[in-house]
């Protein structure tokens, strides 16, 4: 019984991991959704970046907020610092 618990402990600890694990895949393409054109809005107000993104699919969230892990290459992700300033814009 003790051996089973010792073997199961690492698997249990991995399941509790909270930081994302990189799969080593390629970096997201910032041209796929137009995020590269929105780079001048980093550091500015989120409303300006949203307006510039236009009718594209956008997701705005503060850094550290929970978000779904689905990847949509055409979606613009606008990441804020929580006070309304853009800190990063990327596709996905």
């Amino acid at each position: 019984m003790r051996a089973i618990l010792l073997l199961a402990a690492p698997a249990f600890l991995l399941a509790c991991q909270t930081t994302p694990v990189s799969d080593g895949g390629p970096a997201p393409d910032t041209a796929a959704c137009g995020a590269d054109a929105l780079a001048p809005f980093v550091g500015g107000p989120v409303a300006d970046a949203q307006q510039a993104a236009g009718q594209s699919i956008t997701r705005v969230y503060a850094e550290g907020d929970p978000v779904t892990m689905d990847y949509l290459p055409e979606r613009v992700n606008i990441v804020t610092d929580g006070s309304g300033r853009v800190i990063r814009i990327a596709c996905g």
Side-chain angles (χ1 to χ4, degrees), residues 10-75:
F12 177 75
L13 292 174
L14 283 174
C16 295
Q17 185 174 355
T18 58
T19 55
V21 177
S22 172
D23 63 358
D29 180 14
T30 58
C33 68
D36 51 353
L38 299 172
F41 294 96
V42 173
V46 68
D48 292 348
Q50 281 182 290
Q51 185 176 7
Q55 298 297 320
S56 65
I57 302 169
T58 59
R59 173 169 61 180
V60 178
Y61 60 95
E63 188 171 46
D65 282 354
V67 293
T68 60
M69 296 300 292
D70 60 327
Y71 180 76
L72 301 174
E74 68 276 5
R75 178 173 51 207

